[in-house]
Every structure is written in C-alpha cells, then in structure tokens.
Amino acid sequence: MIHITNYSDTMIDILAAEAYKLEEELIEEAYHFFINNPPAQLLGTDPNEYRTWDDATNLERAMIQIVYLIAPVLNELDTIANHELYDHEALPILLEEFKKVGSPTTLIPGPQSLLDIQLYDNMSAVQMMWGQLGQFESPEDNREEFIEYLQLVREETTHLVGRVNYTLSEEYHSHRC
C-alpha cells in the first residue's frame, strides 16, 4: 500500500493531475467571502482579527478555494432541481464534477495544526457527500430524494464556511489555545 499526502494549499485529483485552484485575482474575493460570513457566535468580529490569507494553513486555503469553486456547480444543480429540468444536458456534467471532487483520489491537504485536524475531518465528510451526490442514480426518477440530499449537501458545504471562519478568527484562537 502506498500512502500519499497532499502538502499543497489545494485539493489535488491525483489521477487527472489537476489542482482545484482559484485564479489569483479571485483569492482575495474568496477569502473575504469566508471572513465576512461568520457563524452567529462570531458576528461582529472585526475582520482585522482574522489571520490573513498568507497566515492561513494550507488546509484552510484549500477549503476556501474548493468551496468557492464548487458553489456555482451546487447553485446550478439547485436550479435544475427547483425547476425540474432533469433532462437538461448540464445535469450529467454537473454530477460528474461532484463525482470527481468527491473521489478518494482527490486529496485534501494534510492537517498542519490541531485545529486543522477537526477541519480535515469536516472536509473529508463533506467531500464524501459530494462524491455521493455525483453518483446519485436517476435523479429524475428519485426527485424527492435527490432534492433532499442536494439540500443536505448544500447545508454541509455552507457549514464549511463557518468552520473555516472559526479557525481563521483570532478570537477563536485566543479562547481555544
């Protein structure tokens, strides 16, 4: 058995040799999206109290990038499901994207800190859900189940934003360390 660990700041599909990486000009926008959408417990936290992108761990950076990349795909799936467009030509393409990003051959960066260990577990669970969504059989014949699972995946993906917000928050670190 061979063990491979990803030490980069992106999720990497090792079979396709593809990194899920934002274009440089979108990184600041994605970072600000994460710190400007805190969970209720951190509402009112000054954005200057967050660690910067440069100070974020590789796992935090990868999570920011992958959520920002996968959110439009999730929104398109929502549109298809909400408008019952199950014969839309984009549906299999969108599901394939979730299948790829949710594959065990798409590696999450290894944890670098104690807080990263929990984030890694959270990201692993959501990644598995993405893969299951991508492999969902016959959404057109199982509409209720598909919509229910899609909403669950959306909620858990959104929770990743809050979890990364916590770990980037200096307030969180001062209370936990």
Side-chain angles (χ1 to χ4, degrees), residues 131-145:
Q132 290 172 344
L133 180 62
Q135 294 176 21
F136 198 98
E137 292 186 23
S138 306
E140 65 282 357
D141 296 331
N142 301 297
R143 293 176 186 203
E144 269 186 46
E145 289 174 44

Side-chain angles (χ1 to χ4, degrees), residues 19-107:
Y20 288 92
K21 185 169 185 65
L22 287 173
E23 298 294 324
E24 194 65 37
E25 60 272 7
L26 290 177
I27 287 178
E28 188 174 337
E29 180 181 314
Y31 169 79
H32 284 288
F33 174 79
F34 271 72
I35 67 168
N36 290 324
N37 286 287
Q41 301 89 325
L42 292 177
L43 282 174
T45 301
D46 183 342
N48 294 321
E49 293 180 17
Y50 287 89
R51 283 183 290 116
T52 65
W53 172 263
D54 291 336
D55 293 331
T57 66
N58 285 345
L59 178 59
E60 290 166 334
R61 290 181 187 192
M63 290 174 70
I64 289 169
Q65 292 183 82
I66 195 65
V67 169
Y68 214 70
L69 288 167
I70 207 70
V73 181
L74 199 52
N75 289 339
E76 289 179 47
L77 268 181
D78 259 355
T79 299
I80 286 172
N82 291 335
H83 291 66
E84 299 191 7
L85 303 171
Y86 292 98
D87 59 347
H88 197 285
E89 63 188 23
L91 181 60
I93 297 165
L94 298 170
L95 291 176
E96 182 61 29
E97 190 59 36
F98 276 101
K99 188 175 176 182
K100 281 178 32 185
V101 77
S103 168
T105 61
T106 298
L107 303 181

